[in-house]
Amino acid sequence: QVQLVESGGGLVQAGGSLRLSCAASGRIFSINVMGWYRQAPGKQRELVATITRGGSTNYADSVKGRFTISRANAKNTVYLQMNSLKPEKTAVYYCNGQDSYDHWGQGTQVTVSS
């Protein structure tokens, strides 16, 4: 069983920064890809960034150059550093881990005020 717990969300003004954390626990040794997704009200969940066990990263075009995904393997934790935040980035952000299944955290709310 895999459990993913997000933290670090909150309210931030436009242009500000937040760092989200995702702590993984349970039988995580088979997870090779982890990532962050977001879902705004009335919209589909979409990719923000992913990172593989080997450290390869992938970003949505809308966040390239401003968001950074990273990992601390010893702590089984993945981070999302979000800089220069804009109101359109307001959403619930979800942590994801893939082995034979997709595992999801419960999400953390990020609200960017103008």
Side-chain angles (χ1 to χ4, degrees):
Q1 191 173 16
V2 174
Q3 184 177 10
L4 305 173
V5 180
E6 303 98 333
S7 62
L11 176 65
V12 63
Q13 292 186 336
S17 299
L18 284 174
R19 188 173 79 157
L20 306 183
S21 298
C22 175
S25 61
R27 300 184 66 83
I28 62 174
F29 54 84
S30 62
I31 294 179
N32 290 317
V33 182
M34 296 188 69
W36 289 95
Y37 293 72
R38 65 187 174 204
Q39 187 168 23
K43 298 184 178 180
Q44 293 185 327
R45 191 171 299 182
E46 64 179 0
L47 170 73
V48 177
T50 61
I51 187 166
T52 69
R53 186 174 294 275
S56 297
T57 58
N58 180 59
Y59 295 93
D61 288 342
S62 63
V63 305
K64 288 181 179 178
R66 296 185 294 108
F67 286 16
T68 302
I69 188 169
S70 61
R71 57 176 167 79
N73 287 338
K75 297 181 179 180
N76 298 317
T77 302
V78 174
Y79 303 97
L80 183 69
Q81 178 68 45
M82 305 186 293
N83 298 326
S84 302
L85 282 164
K86 299 178 180 180
E88 59 264 32
K89 298 296 188 288
T90 292
V92 177
Y93 284 69
Y94 294 91
C95 184
N96 169 264
Q98 296 180 33
D99 46 25
S100 298
Y101 306 92
D102 280 328
H103 304 276
W104 296 95
Q106 67 179 28
T108 185
Q109 176 70 44
V110 173
T111 302
V112 185
S113 65
S114 59

